[in-house]
Amino acid sequence: MLMKHENSTLLVIDVQQKLAPVLEGSTQLVANCVWLAEVAARVGVPVVVTEHFPDKLGPTLPEVKAATAGAPCLSKTHFSAAGESVLRGTEIERRRQVVVCGAEAHVCVLQTVLELRWAGKEVFVVAEATGSRRSADRELAFARMRAHGIDIVSREMVAFEWLQRGGTELFRAVSRDFIR
C-alpha cells in the first residue's frame, strides 16, 4: 500500500529534552523528525505529538515544537500512545494511515505501532527518524514491527508518496525546499 496524504497522520512520539540527547544519532534523528513535520505541513498532513512523563523527561524539543506548531501535544504515562485513549479525538482516529517517528523505537514507538496495527491502521515507521539509545534495540524493534505488518520506510518514501506525482507546483516547492 502507498501512503496517501489525504489518508495519513504524522505521529511524533516523545522527542523530548532529556530523552533525545541520549539517543544514538540524536542530532540527525531530530533533524529528520523536523523535516517530516515540515513536509507534512506543506502537503496538508495533520500531525500529532506525544510526550511521555514530560515532568520527568522534559517537554518536546523546541525545534520539533516549532515544526509542529498548532499540532496537539498529548501527555502520556503508558508507553503506548494508543494505550490510554490519548489519541482519542485526534486525526489518528479519523484517518487510516499513521506515519510514525520518534523515540524510543523498542519501547514507546514499538508498543504504539503494534496497538495501532492491531486496531486496523496502516502503519509506517520512518527509519531515520526513529531511534533508541542502542542500535541493537532499534534493529530488533524494526524486525518485530515488520513481522506484524508494519512498514519501515525512509523519509523520502513518505514525501514522494504523499506528493503522488511530479510536475505540480507542490512537487516543485517540496523538491526545492526539502529534497536534496
Side-chain angles (χ1 to χ4, degrees):
M1 78 208 92
L2 294 174
M3 292 168 272
K4 304 277 190 182
H5 71 276
E6 64 272 14
N7 297 332
S8 293
T9 304
L10 176 65
L11 176 59
V12 182
I13 298 178
D14 307 347
V15 185
Q16 294 167 252
Q17 286 182 347
K18 292 183 182 174
L19 178 59
V22 300
L23 299 173
E24 192 168 80
S26 67
T27 301
Q28 193 58 49
L29 183 143
V30 170
N32 288 329
C33 289
V34 168
W35 188 94
L36 283 164
E38 291 174 348
V39 170
R42 187 70 62 93
V43 301
V45 170
V47 179
V48 175
V49 179
T50 67
E51 296 177 337
H52 188 71
F53 277 106
D55 56 320
K56 301 214 183 326
L57 295 176
T60 299
L61 289 175
E63 58 267 47
V64 175
K65 199 73 164 159
T68 60
C73 185
L74 311 169
S75 180
K76 65 185 184 64
T77 58
H78 286 202
F79 295 123
S80 171
E84 55 191 307
S85 301
V86 168
L87 302 176
R88 184 166 291 144
T90 69
E91 287 299 318
I92 290 172
E93 213 175 42
R94 292 182 274 283
R95 292 178 174 228
R96 100 173 165 259
Q97 296 181 331
V98 186
V99 177
V100 181
C101 63
E104 280 192 83
H106 67 292
V107 186
C108 295
V109 173
L110 175 68
Q111 292 183 33
T112 299
V113 301
L114 288 175
E115 288 198 34
L116 289 170
R117 183 71 187 109
W118 297 332
K121 298 293 183 183
E122 296 171 9
V123 183
F124 306 85
V125 175
V126 185
E128 68 265 50
T130 303
S132 293
R133 288 165 287 138
R134 290 176 296 279
S135 61
D137 287 327
R138 179 177 175 269
E139 295 312 313
L140 286 170
F142 287 170
R144 189 167 174 203
M145 291 173 196
R146 283 185 187 102
H148 288 274
I150 295 161
D151 288 350
I152 308 302
V153 298
S154 73
R155 67 184 204 163
E156 282 200 8
M157 287 178 184
V158 175
F160 283 108
E161 288 179 34
W162 281 348
L163 287 167
Q164 297 177 349
R165 65 189 207 109
T168 66
E169 286 303 315
L170 180 59
F171 172 80
R172 283 188 281 282
V174 170
S175 292
R176 177 189 65 240
D177 296 340
F178 297 101
I179 310 298
R180 304 181 215 309

